[in-house]
Amino acid sequence: MKARVFVTVRKDVLDPQGKAVERALHQSGFSAAGNVRIGKVIEMNLDATRGLTPQQAEAELKKMCEKFLANTVIEDYRVEIEP
């Protein structure tokens, strides 16, 4: 099964990259863009042959995020799983 992890800077944390992109968008004439936040998407395949249920896969992904993929002090994350 395929999984995606979305990691973004928490709303209450300053996002200098997001501000820089927003400023560049405005300077390029895209004045409608606002509250730009920069994050990352991590895609991976989970081995379905191991009998992993979607619930178990989600639990594994959350453990990965808590331990490795996200800095939970300043970042939020969410996961998506495709069967």
Side-chain angles (χ1 to χ4, degrees):
M1 75 186 71
K2 187 171 187 170
R4 285 191 188 94
V5 178
F6 300 85
V7 180
T8 56
V9 178
R10 289 181 180 238
K11 299 254 186 248
D12 59 343
V13 174
L14 180 65
D15 182 359
Q17 285 182 309
K19 289 293 180 197
V21 169
E22 183 176 316
R23 195 171 28 257
L25 287 169
H26 289 173
Q27 291 171 350
S28 298
F30 299 103
S31 60
N35 295 323
V36 176
R37 308 291 288 178
I38 301 296
K40 57 188 171 190
V41 177
I42 302 160
E43 293 183 338
M44 68 179 79
N45 290 322
L46 298 172
D47 188 358
T49 62
R50 295 184 179 196
L52 205 59
T53 66
Q55 294 80 13
Q56 291 170 324
E58 184 174 341
E60 282 289 307
L61 287 166
K62 287 182 178 179
K63 284 182 194 174
M64 291 178 201
C65 289
E66 294 289 331
K67 289 186 174 185
F68 184 71
L69 298 177
N71 178 350
T72 56
V73 174
I74 61 168
E75 295 174 322
D76 289 324
Y77 65 86
R78 67 181 171 86
V79 299
E80 288 182 0
I81 300 170
E82 294 179 14

